[in-house]
Amino acid sequence: MNKEKINQQLLDVAPEAMIILNENGVILQVNALAEILFGYQNGTLIGICVEKLIPQDLAKRHRKLRRKFHHQPTSRHMGEGKQFLSKRKDGTTFFADISLRPYDADNDSLIIASIRDISHQIETQSILAQKVTQLEALHEIVVAISSTQDIGFLLNLIVEQAVELV
């Protein structure tokens, strides 16, 4: 069994979307999960530049980051707070957490990227932050109600809190 076939089998059993690219950012191999995540089919990601998977306004910055990584390659694991906006073939975007690992193969400097869509997590965190703000405002009102008899003060506080929340 040749090395490329073994590599492809390893990619295919990975639990995340996987992409292998060269130092120029050209995609060399992908697994089916990467094709699904980015909306491509049947190996059509192979041979394209990885910046095509980044919104156009962020692609130049990504190119600089990729070059910097190649000059000082160090593994980066998921969950390190590095979230990237990524783009599907249809133009829709999603937040991705990306793990990077340098890989030397036959004197070629490659990058193995594992990609996870974290859009739902980002959205949930945003909703949670809004709820915390609402609960803090409600708590302030409850504390004021329990500690004062001044109706005017209470009404002003309620209106102020409502305006801040809206």
Side-chain angles (χ1 to χ4, degrees):
M1 189 177 289
N2 68 24
K3 193 187 257 188
E4 190 172 307
K5 192 171 184 177
I6 291 171
N7 286 347
Q8 189 61 50
Q9 287 178 346
L10 289 171
L11 288 177
D12 288 339
V13 298
E16 306 289 347
M18 301 291 291
I19 295 176
I20 297 178
L21 52 132
N22 66 18
E23 65 182 282
N24 296 319
V26 176
I27 297 173
L28 304 175
Q29 281 184 281
V30 299
N31 66 0
L33 292 175
E35 292 178 326
I36 292 167
L37 180 61
F38 288 99
Y40 288 79
Q41 298 175 3
N42 302 324
T44 54
L45 277 170
I46 306 298
I48 70 168
C49 185
V50 71
E51 275 79 30
K52 188 169 183 168
L53 305 178
I54 310 288
Q56 189 173 4
D57 58 330
L58 301 174
K60 185 176 180 180
R61 179 177 175 266
H62 184 270
R63 196 172 296 110
K64 286 180 184 177
L65 290 171
R66 181 174 44 78
R67 288 181 182 140
K68 182 179 177 182
F69 181 86
H70 269 290
H71 291 298
Q72 294 180 325
T74 56
S75 295
R76 184 178 74 221
H77 305 285
M78 287 194 179
E80 291 186 3
K82 304 255 182 178
Q83 299 148 358
F84 291 90
L85 196 59
S86 298
K87 181 179 77 170
R88 293 183 178 91
K89 185 178 181 181
D90 66 7
T92 60
T93 58
F94 64 95
F95 284 101
D97 192 358
I98 302 174
S99 172
L100 298 177
R101 182 157 315 268
Y103 179 69
D104 287 323
D106 301 326
N107 297 324
D108 286 333
S109 179
L110 305 178
I111 298 173
I112 300 174
S114 178
I115 304 125
R116 180 183 301 155
D117 182 348
I118 58 168
S119 298
H120 182 70
Q121 178 183 343
I122 299 292
E123 182 181 332
T124 301
Q125 288 172 343
S126 175
I127 291 169
L128 182 60
Q130 290 173 350
K131 297 298 180 190
V132 166
T133 301
Q134 292 170 352
L135 286 172
E136 287 171 344
L138 186 58
H139 178 261
E140 191 172 327
I141 291 169
V142 169
V143 168
I145 289 171
S146 65
S147 65
T148 187
Q149 298 290 328
D150 185 348
I151 299 295
F153 170 78
L154 290 175
L155 291 175
N156 281 333
L157 178 64
I158 292 169
V159 169
E160 287 174 13
Q161 294 296 329
V163 167
E164 281 185 38
L165 290 175
V166 174

